[in-house]
Amino acid sequence: MKGLYCKPGGDQGDVKFVLQETNAPTNIGSHQVKVQVKICALSPVDFKLYEDLRLESELVPVGREISGVVLQVGPKVTFFQPDDEVVGILPLDAELSGLCSVVLIDEYDLVQKPEKVSWFEAAAVIKDGLRAYTALHTLARMAAGQTVLVLDGAGPFGVLAIQLAHYHGVKVLATALSPDDQKFLEELRPSVGVQESLLARVIRVWDSKENLVDSCLEETGGLGVDIIIDSGVRLYEEEAETQSHRPHKHDLLTLLSVGGHWVTTEQHLQLDPPDSHILFLKAASLSFLNDEVWTTSRAKQGRYLHILKDVMDKLSTGTFRPQLEQPVPLYEATVSMEMVQRKQTRKRIVVKL
């Protein structure tokens, strides 16, 4: 069977992705489940994280968000049985690519796929849903009546974060990186047939006439936002030309409210003493969003499974309505993954049916 693997290089944008023949797994562990993969989602690979965790290898498996059917279970598996429909995320140390026809995965990394949810939707949403829960619930501790700013709201993660925040009674502001993103965000609704918009305001960061800080302060009466979820920030003013869609860290510190919480995806964020002093004066806090901790540490395994199950439940009831692109066949997986890694497209879903 074939799987998608990558050969890490010096630059994350120049890595080589290859479809490689691999042997089907034969031995199954006590708590493992053998799954026939139906759909696999492709997201960018963080090679620095593999290096930090000492998981480097000549070929790194690609494609970890999967949905499929249980073929066989280990002798001590209690959660599943053959023919169950499941969805899950392969751990970072998985030996097989999610694009393989059959994979082995620990039973604690899977949840049942609801009957109403398609294979396609399940694999596309599972990881971004986990990120949204981690950012808003685990890190930011959101509560009804608060105001949240979601940067790049039209991205797969941003859309689910907007829908989750609105579901819990939070006022949502979001940025649009292009006119198409703006149109998409303005048309977001809680459910089909409802006229009310999900968003209190869409901020056009692609338009130089609109200022992010001024827009947020105007919308909040000068008080600032309670929660910020970024999609990367500019650390230096010199990066303005190449990363114009990303706000500077000082902008986010300025529009953060008293007691506010900033959740960042920028793993190299540097705060100088004056920046820390601003956080101190506002009694505000900063968290780093790394959803991989759920599988790299088993300290909160029960909560992890609860989140995955709740993501599927919200997808089943229509609370989560993701923006999905057309799936691609296996033979286009290599080119698709290169585009995802270079951020030429946000996400790709590969059909294995």
Side-chain angles (χ1 to χ4, degrees):
M1 61 182 184
K2 286 187 176 181
L4 184 63
Y5 297 83
C6 62
K7 297 179 179 179
D11 188 339
Q12 290 202 23
D14 294 331
V15 295
K16 185 177 180 181
F17 295 95
V18 294
L19 282 172
Q20 185 95 359
E21 285 288 347
T22 184
N23 296 325
T26 53
N27 298 326
I28 185 169
S30 297
H31 290 280
Q32 285 188 317
V33 177
K34 183 182 288 187
V35 177
Q36 179 186 7
V37 179
K38 298 288 187 179
I39 297 285
C40 177
L42 300 177
S43 299
V45 180
D46 186 349
F47 295 105
K48 182 64 169 63
L49 184 58
Y50 278 89
E51 181 182 338
D52 292 340
L53 297 176
R54 298 180 181 179
L55 295 174
E56 297 173 284
S57 61
E58 292 184 5
L59 290 175
V60 177
V62 175
R64 297 172 47 222
E65 303 137 68
I66 63 168
S67 60
V69 178
V70 174
L71 297 178
Q72 182 183 353
V73 300
K76 295 185 179 180
V77 170
T78 58
F79 292 169
F80 306 101
Q81 57 187 6
D83 297 326
D84 280 350
E85 297 182 351
V86 295
V87 57
I89 304 172
L90 292 170
L92 286 169
D93 60 354
E95 297 180 359
L96 294 174
S97 162
L99 272 78
C100 291
S101 301
V102 177
V103 298
L104 287 180
I105 182 171
D106 196 288
E107 68 170 322
Y108 305 114
D109 292 322
L110 291 170
V111 292
Q112 299 275 358
K113 180 185 77 66
E115 186 177 347
K116 291 183 179 179
V117 175
S118 69
W119 304 111
F120 181 48
E121 291 174 320
V125 166
I126 189 69
K127 186 172 177 62
D128 290 316
L130 172 66
R131 284 171 62 82
Y133 264 80
T134 304
L136 289 170
H137 282 297
T138 307
L139 300 178
R141 306 287 184 182
M142 71 171 172
Q146 291 183 320
T147 302
V148 60
L149 170 65
V150 179
L151 299 175
D152 187 15
F157 164 57
V159 169
L160 298 187
I162 289 169
Q163 293 168 342
L164 182 62
H166 183 273
Y167 175 81
H168 286 281
V170 175
K171 179 180 179 180
V172 187
L173 316 178
T175 63
L177 306 187
S178 68
D180 288 341
D181 285 355
Q182 179 187 348
K183 183 175 184 295
F184 169 75
L185 290 171
E186 289 175 344
E187 293 176 351
L188 277 180
R189 297 291 182 269
S191 60
V192 178
V194 177
Q195 295 301 313
E196 173 198 5
S197 175
L198 277 175
L199 293 161
R201 183 162 183 169
V202 178
I203 302 167
R204 306 185 306 271
V205 295
W206 55 270
D207 186 351
S208 58
K209 296 179 182 178
E210 185 152 3
N211 182 274
L212 175 64
V213 175
D214 291 345
S215 298
C216 289
L217 293 180
E218 177 185 338
E219 192 63 39
T220 59
L223 298 177
V225 298
D226 299 296
I227 302 170
I228 298 172
I229 301 177
D230 72 38
S231 59
V233 297
R234 282 188 286 119
L235 303 180
Y236 310 104
E237 292 293 349
E238 302 81 58
E239 297 174 333
E241 292 186 5
T242 58
Q243 302 182 26
S244 58
H245 64 284
R246 289 187 172 188
H248 193 278
K249 60 180 180 179
H250 293 151
D251 294 337
L252 299 187
L253 289 170
T254 300
L255 57 83
L256 195 62
S257 71
V258 170
H261 199 97
W262 174 11
V263 179
T264 183
T265 60
E266 182 58 62
Q267 57 183 287
H268 300 298
L269 179 67
Q270 298 178 11
L271 292 184
D272 300 319
D275 301 329
S276 298
H277 190 61
I278 293 174
L279 287 175
F280 168 76
L281 291 175
K282 293 186 174 186
S285 57
L286 170 70
S287 295
F288 290 87
L289 177 57
N290 174 19
D291 55 283
E292 299 293 355
V293 297
W294 294 109
T295 55
T296 54
S297 170
R298 298 297 187 185
K300 297 180 179 179
Q301 186 65 42
R303 182 177 296 181
Y304 172 60
L305 290 176
H306 175 78
I307 292 174
L308 296 186
K309 183 179 183 301
D310 208 38
V311 168
M312 287 298 104
D313 289 344
K314 283 187 168 47
L315 187 58
S316 177
T317 58
T319 301
F320 281 159
R321 293 185 297 117
Q323 180 186 22
L324 301 175
E325 297 185 13
Q326 287 296 321
V328 299
L330 180 60
Y331 63 82
E332 292 184 13
T334 301
V335 175
S336 296
M337 188 61 212
E338 289 174 352
M339 293 174 64
V340 170
Q341 192 68 22
R342 292 171 183 157
K343 299 184 178 179
Q344 295 171 343
T345 187
R346 285 172 168 139
K347 196 162 199 166
R348 277 287 187 266
I349 313 299
V350 180
V351 179
K352 294 283 293 177
L353 295 172

